[in-house]
Amino acid sequence: MSRVDAREEEASVPRERRIHPAWFVAATALVALIGAAGFRAAPGVLMLPLEEEFGWSLTEMSLAVTLNLVLFGLTAPFAAALMQRFGLRTVTTTALLLIAAGSALTVFVTSPWMLLLTWGLLIGLGTGSMALVFAATVTETWFAKRRGLVSGVLTAGSATGQLIFLPVIAVAAEDYGWRIASIIIAGGALLVVPLVLALLRDRPSDLGVGRYGEPAPTVDVEEKQPDGAQPDAAPRDRAPRGGGAAALALGALRDAAKVRSFWALVAGFAICGATTNGLVGTHFIPSAHDHGMPQTTAAGLLAIVGIFDIAGTVLSGWLTDRVNPRILLAVYYAGRGVSLLFLPSLLSATVQPSIVVFIVVYGLDWVATVPPTIALCREVFGDRGPLVFGWVFAAHQVGAGVASVLAGIVRDQTGQYTVAWFAAAGLCAVAAVISGAIARRPHSRIVR
């Protein structure tokens, strides 16, 4: 072979990419999750200013938060199916626009029912489409290896958003009013849209590559086969051809509901939502304020939760690639329950070392449950894991919504949150037992 021929042959072979495009997609998804996380920090900060201006009760405002949390969850499985059919970029862009619209329109509210439309409906649908199922879908679509780590990092994106937005929202609400704080949330969501449109890709085949950890595809199944033959199977990253998004999501629920492990995951994750977004995320600031702590100080403590949440979730993702996820879930829930038992005695008008210890422990544990839960959905339900996780996550948000409104009722009726904290601790013990007993084999009716 001549040197010219050798050079031509070398030029005809695609050069290996130094950085797999999956990492750029994951980075874009992380930024999108951060941008969508603004409202996750908002209710705890904005409820007190709204109460002072309009005289609305915490129960009335908690109803809007409850609608948001429930829609946040119930939208997730359908969003996962929509991402499979229409692509990550379209669904993510639409979700960010809904969040921005809902937050911006909040400045015009004059009665509690209007909060149901803005905080509840618009932002609930938007954040639901950008929920943790988004992280699961990106991980499953783009990664064959390092999936635990990637899902942990993406999950931490919500915590990062809380860390970024919470202090800003708290200061803006106190110095400039809650309306300016709402505009800041809308702006944060809108700023991410151009990045998503420019960099987020729907599936590896769009770039002619395989998932990270897999070889690039060598056969294009869209090409006509010899003698009219049909390809044996669609590539893993191709959207399903049959049925609409609703049919895909409901079909996954129908099949998963026949499996006992699904209900164990649902119960555990519902308790997870109740003890994070529903209780601490929504009511920690009002509870600390009841003990004389300034609102901005309490918001700062929740921001610290966000810092340690990042570390805890990434570490949990790394551990999920190496440790039985059932063991991880049991340990996480048990530790959370012990922390909640001590919380009522730790709250005071000033920041004491004991409450800082609680914040650190709770931060490390906040959504550390997500990577092992995603891993169990993938283990038990195979390629339909992201869709099933959407329904498991829906239970997470239903639990959060129920806890949010019940905690508001407890506060209005008793003047304090103590009963709510103790009840949540008991539920964590139940979640630890249930999670540790999840079956260890995939179910043949679901994995296909």
Side-chain angles (χ1 to χ4, degrees):
M1 180 183 293
S2 68
R3 291 183 179 181
V4 175
D5 292 337
R7 283 197 298 268
E8 290 178 352
E9 181 177 349
E10 181 180 353
S12 66
V13 178
R15 293 182 178 179
E16 184 178 353
R17 298 172 185 264
R18 292 185 177 181
I19 301 178
H20 194 284
W23 295 109
F24 294 106
V25 171
T28 305
L30 176 63
V31 175
L33 285 165
I34 292 172
F39 185 77
R40 301 266 61 79
V45 173
L46 301 184
M47 287 171 80
L48 290 176
L50 286 168
E51 181 185 32
E52 292 174 1
E53 179 171 337
F54 296 107
W56 301 337
S57 69
L58 288 178
T59 300
E60 289 177 309
M61 289 181 284
S62 294
L63 287 174
V65 176
T66 296
L67 177 60
N68 171 276
L69 292 172
V70 171
L71 284 177
F72 184 41
L74 292 179
T75 303
F78 298 98
L82 287 170
M83 288 175 189
Q84 288 190 11
R85 292 197 59 80
F86 299 107
L88 295 165
R89 182 163 47 183
T90 299
V91 176
T92 303
T93 300
T94 303
L96 289 167
L97 293 176
L98 283 173
I99 295 168
S103 187
L105 291 173
T106 300
V107 303
F108 300 109
V109 301
T110 56
S111 60
W113 70 265
M114 294 181 179
L115 281 182
L116 292 173
L117 295 179
T118 55
W119 281 15
L121 182 62
L122 290 177
I123 299 180
L125 291 173
T127 54
S129 299
M130 284 291 297
L132 298 181
V133 71
F134 174 56
T137 302
V138 170
T139 302
E140 180 66 25
T141 302
W142 280 91
F143 291 85
K145 294 182 178 179
R146 303 288 187 269
R147 289 187 292 193
L149 177 62
V150 173
S151 63
V153 172
L154 292 181
T155 300
S158 295
T160 304
Q162 178 179 332
L163 169 63
I164 292 172
F165 281 104
L166 186 54
V168 175
I169 294 171
V171 171
E174 184 168 296
D175 294 346
Y176 304 104
W178 60 268
R179 292 175 177 84
I180 296 298
S182 298
I183 295 297
I184 290 174
I185 297 170
L190 286 176
L191 283 175
V192 185
V193 171
L195 183 67
V196 169
L197 291 174
L199 298 179
L200 193 64
R201 292 294 180 267
D202 295 333
R203 51 188 68 91
S205 60
D206 292 346
L207 300 178
V209 300
R211 298 189 302 173
Y212 176 78
E214 288 181 343
T218 57
V219 177
D220 185 357
V221 298
E222 296 296 326
E223 294 179 357
K224 186 176 180 180
Q225 303 295 311
D227 299 323
Q230 296 300 316
D232 291 335
R236 179 187 295 269
D237 66 321
R238 185 75 64 186
R241 296 180 184 277
L248 289 171
L250 293 174
L253 174 62
R254 181 193 63 241
D255 293 339
K258 302 172 185 176
V259 182
R260 183 177 300 176
S261 295
F262 171 73
W263 295 108
L265 289 166
V266 162
F269 225 44
I271 292 171
C272 178
T275 53
T276 52
N277 300 92
L279 189 55
V280 175
T282 304
H283 292 284
F284 177 81
I285 293 176
S287 180
H289 190 265
D290 287 344
H291 288 78
M293 184 178 291
Q295 179 172 312
T296 51
T297 302
L301 289 175
L302 274 187
I304 296 174
V305 168
I307 294 175
F308 285 93
D309 183 16
I310 297 170
T313 308
V314 174
L315 176 61
S316 178
W318 182 83
L319 288 171
T320 300
D321 287 329
R322 294 161 174 80
V323 179
N324 186 336
R326 298 160 185 80
I327 296 175
L328 295 178
L329 287 177
V331 171
Y332 296 157
Y333 286 130
R336 185 180 301 180
V338 172
S339 300
L340 288 169
L341 279 176
F342 287 99
L343 180 58
S345 63
L346 303 180
L347 290 170
S348 63
T350 58
V351 178
Q352 301 295 326
S354 55
I355 192 65
V356 174
V357 172
F358 169 86
I359 290 296
V360 170
V361 172
Y362 219 80
L364 290 172
D365 189 82
W366 184 265
V367 286
T369 55
V370 174
T373 301
I374 292 175
L376 285 172
C377 286
R378 184 169 58 246
E379 175 188 323
V380 178
F381 304 109
D383 290 345
R384 299 178 84 183
L387 284 173
V388 175
F389 177 72
W391 289 108
V392 173
F393 181 74
H396 181 283
Q397 294 309 116
V398 171
V402 172
S404 174
V405 71
L406 289 180
I409 292 172
V410 167
R411 167 61 177 77
D412 286 341
Q413 296 298 317
T414 68
Q416 57 186 2
Y417 285 96
T418 303
V419 172
W421 301 129
F422 286 161
L427 288 174
C428 285
V430 174
V433 173
I434 291 174
S435 299
I438 293 175
R440 296 176 178 270
R441 61 185 183 279
H443 200 278
S444 59
R445 286 181 294 180
I446 303 299
V447 181
R448 61 186 183 206

